[in-house]
Amino acid sequence: MRDIRINKPKITLEGLFLSLLLFFSTFGQRIVIPLGGQQIALIFPVTLAAFITMLFSKKFSVYTIRLWIFTLFWILALSFLLFQKAYSATSLLFLLMLYLPFLFNFEFRDELKLKYLKRFQNIVLFTAFFGIFQFASQAAGMTFTDPLSVLPSNLIQLGYNTTYPIIYGSPISKPNGGFYLEPSLFSQFLAVSIIIEILFFKRWTRIFILFVAIVTSFSGTGLTIIMILGIPLLFKLKPKQALAVIIAGALVAIVFFNSEYGSVTSGRADEYNSQNSSFSIRFINPFKTIFLDDQKDVLIGHGPGQTERTQFPFEANFTVIPKLWYEYGFLPMVIFMLFLIHCIFSRNITILAAAIFIMYTFLSGSLLQPQTIYFTYFMLIISNFTFTEELAQKIQPVIKTKQKRRKTRFVLS
């Protein structure tokens, strides 16, 4: 009798590392560890432990330029502490530990990167369906569905607008895809997924579903990414494909923006005129805070952690640049931005890298937000490969082999 052996998939340290990053930067975004009255995003200790394990168990190299830039930032930041009135040692330590993984280069096979890029796409597609369901079910009169409501409340991240009405007094809340911190972050993940589909896979049914989800999220940040990078994306397509995308996008936009729900989204176009609008809170007010005090403070900063401890005359949501500037000073801000630019673009000058940079730098308060930082880290790892026909042919037999194995198990049973 012929011996039929079914090889089980091999679990590698690299695969486990990427699996943890993928899970906690998507499904695990809102899960925290309560510690001494504070909440620590679970992705932070998990990623740090996995990173340290990688250091002990795998050969690695150090990005020399990044190390020099990062060291220069810390020399300046610690020197400026002598002239600042107050600072948070916890904030300093957190900043150091969060960005340490960006200094090290681990070798991952291109096949493994593509495998996890596909897994990311599948996860975002699932959350897209869930977000569409959240909206459609509410429009049909049902209540908002939160899959994480089954967990104890002390294990769920607080301090974020996980969902809120599309307009004041509306019974319909903005979808968050079930697992994302906010509807805004949900729409940004959808935008990144759309870009990946267009660049690598071109599965048009998926692109349509993702686009419907991003429109029904009622959040402008994801659409902002698409609009900024729309023209270079179209140049990546064949003329017929580009024309089809333009026509389909225009039809969906016309139908949506002429509906009652579309008027809610389009009505936010003049938000910049109001100091209390989300646009001003995110893009204008944080820069105003920098110039409220003496010129000396503009140059040397007010101290790490002070954006959370200072009462401002208006609401401000600090993105990366104004937070660095307000807390660490102008020159350390410039140095740290050079570090970030090198991390994102040094080996990966692509449209996808640009999308990650826009998302991280301008659309979320992510300087000390582990969820966004480690999502950026994960994307930089898995998107840095040469997508050749040879690579695609190496992945395809794996899929076929799995299908054959399923059939073999069925016959043997």
Side-chain angles (χ1 to χ4, degrees):
M1 183 176 177
R2 187 178 179 182
D3 184 19
I4 300 177
R5 295 183 181 181
I6 300 175
N7 294 324
K8 295 182 179 180
K10 184 179 180 181
I11 299 176
T12 63
L13 183 61
E14 298 93 328
L16 181 60
F17 182 59
L18 292 179
S19 294
L20 291 172
L21 282 173
L22 174 59
F23 177 84
F24 284 102
S25 62
T26 51
F27 291 134
Q29 277 190 16
R30 296 169 55 199
I31 303 175
V32 300
I33 301 174
L35 186 64
Q38 301 292 325
Q39 289 187 322
I40 299 176
L42 187 55
I43 189 175
F44 173 59
V46 168
T47 301
L48 195 61
F51 164 70
I52 293 173
T53 304
M54 288 285 288
L55 288 179
F56 279 103
S57 306
K58 183 72 176 178
K59 292 182 179 180
F60 62 87
S61 59
V62 177
Y63 291 106
T64 306
I65 296 177
R66 291 185 198 179
L67 179 61
W68 280 108
I69 298 174
F70 200 62
T71 302
L72 178 59
F73 165 78
W74 281 104
I75 291 173
L76 291 172
L78 295 176
S79 299
F80 284 10
L81 291 180
L82 300 174
F83 307 97
Q84 293 166 347
K85 298 177 182 178
Y87 68 92
S88 167
T90 302
S91 183
L92 278 169
L93 183 60
F94 202 38
L95 183 70
L96 174 63
M97 291 191 296
L98 278 171
Y99 290 91
L100 268 180
F102 290 86
L103 299 175
F104 297 86
N105 177 34
F106 299 104
E107 293 297 328
F108 296 92
R109 292 176 293 107
D110 282 349
E111 293 89 344
L112 188 65
K113 294 176 184 179
L114 183 57
K115 175 182 177 180
Y116 279 89
L117 193 66
K118 288 184 175 182
R119 287 187 177 181
F120 171 76
Q121 290 298 89
N122 291 336
I123 287 176
V124 177
L125 181 67
F126 171 78
T127 59
F129 276 118
F130 197 90
I132 294 171
F133 167 76
Q134 285 178 316
F135 169 72
S137 61
Q138 291 181 94
M142 299 171 62
T143 58
F144 180 82
T145 304
D146 182 6
L148 296 188
S149 60
V150 297
L151 296 178
S153 58
N154 64 333
L155 299 181
I156 303 299
Q157 179 81 64
L158 301 176
Y160 291 89
N161 293 321
T162 303
T163 184
Y164 50 95
I166 57 176
I167 56 173
Y168 180 75
S170 173
I172 298 179
S173 296
K174 292 186 177 184
N176 70 335
F179 304 92
Y180 299 95
L181 290 172
E182 295 181 323
S184 176
L185 199 56
F186 174 43
S187 73
Q188 292 167 40
F189 271 68
L190 292 169
V192 170
S193 185
I194 289 173
I195 291 171
I196 291 172
E197 281 297 329
I198 293 175
L199 292 177
F200 299 111
F201 306 118
K202 295 179 176 60
R203 295 172 291 195
W204 299 108
T205 302
R206 287 193 178 215
I207 293 173
F208 176 77
I209 295 169
L210 294 168
F211 187 74
V212 171
I214 205 173
V215 170
T216 55
S217 72
F218 296 94
S219 178
T221 54
L223 288 174
T224 299
I225 296 174
I226 297 297
M227 287 188 292
I228 291 174
L229 300 174
I231 293 178
L233 275 174
L234 290 176
F235 279 106
K236 292 291 183 178
L237 302 175
K238 297 177 181 178
K240 290 183 179 180
Q241 292 176 331
L243 181 61
V245 168
I246 292 172
I247 294 174
L251 289 175
V252 173
I254 289 171
V255 171
F256 179 78
F257 286 109
N258 280 285
S259 68
E260 177 185 356
Y261 301 111
S263 62
V264 174
T265 303
S266 60
R268 300 181 62 188
D270 62 346
E271 277 192 347
Y272 65 90
N273 290 321
S274 172
Q275 183 173 277
N276 297 321
S277 68
S278 59
F279 180 90
S280 294
I281 290 171
R282 179 175 296 178
F283 299 110
I284 298 176
N285 295 355
F287 287 96
K288 286 184 178 179
T289 65
I290 296 170
F291 300 96
L292 287 175
D293 300 318
D294 298 335
Q295 187 176 1
K296 171 181 68 69
D297 296 320
V298 175
L299 295 175
I300 67 170
H302 296 74
Q306 296 311 299
T307 54
E308 289 81 15
R309 301 182 179 187
T310 305
Q311 291 291 330
F312 300 110
F314 39 74
E315 188 177 355
N317 181 7
F318 286 81
T319 52
V320 171
I321 293 176
K323 183 175 177 65
L324 282 167
W325 195 345
Y326 184 89
E327 294 188 351
Y328 292 89
F330 178 75
L331 190 54
M333 178 270 292
V334 172
I335 299 300
F336 198 87
M337 287 307 300
L338 290 175
F339 168 73
L340 291 174
I341 290 171
H342 189 276
C343 290
I344 295 174
F345 292 110
S346 63
R347 300 173 60 188
N348 200 21
I349 304 177
T350 63
I351 297 173
L352 180 56
I356 298 300
F357 180 77
I358 293 169
M359 176 181 172
Y360 169 85
T361 308
F362 301 106
L363 300 181
S364 60
S366 48
L367 180 66
L368 297 180
Q369 188 182 72
Q371 296 93 332
T372 311
I373 293 169
Y374 290 134
F375 168 68
T376 300
Y377 180 58
F378 172 75
M379 290 305 302
L380 294 180
I381 292 175
I382 66 171
S383 63
N384 183 23
F385 64 85
T386 304
F387 191 76
T388 61
E389 291 184 5
E390 182 181 356
L391 178 59
Q393 290 171 358
K394 287 181 179 179
I395 298 299
Q396 192 64 27
V398 175
I399 299 173
K400 291 181 179 178
T401 302
K402 288 181 179 179
Q403 293 173 346
K404 290 180 180 178
R405 287 173 183 167
R406 294 193 190 102
K407 292 179 181 178
T408 302
R409 292 192 189 98
F410 178 79
V411 172
L412 292 176
S413 61

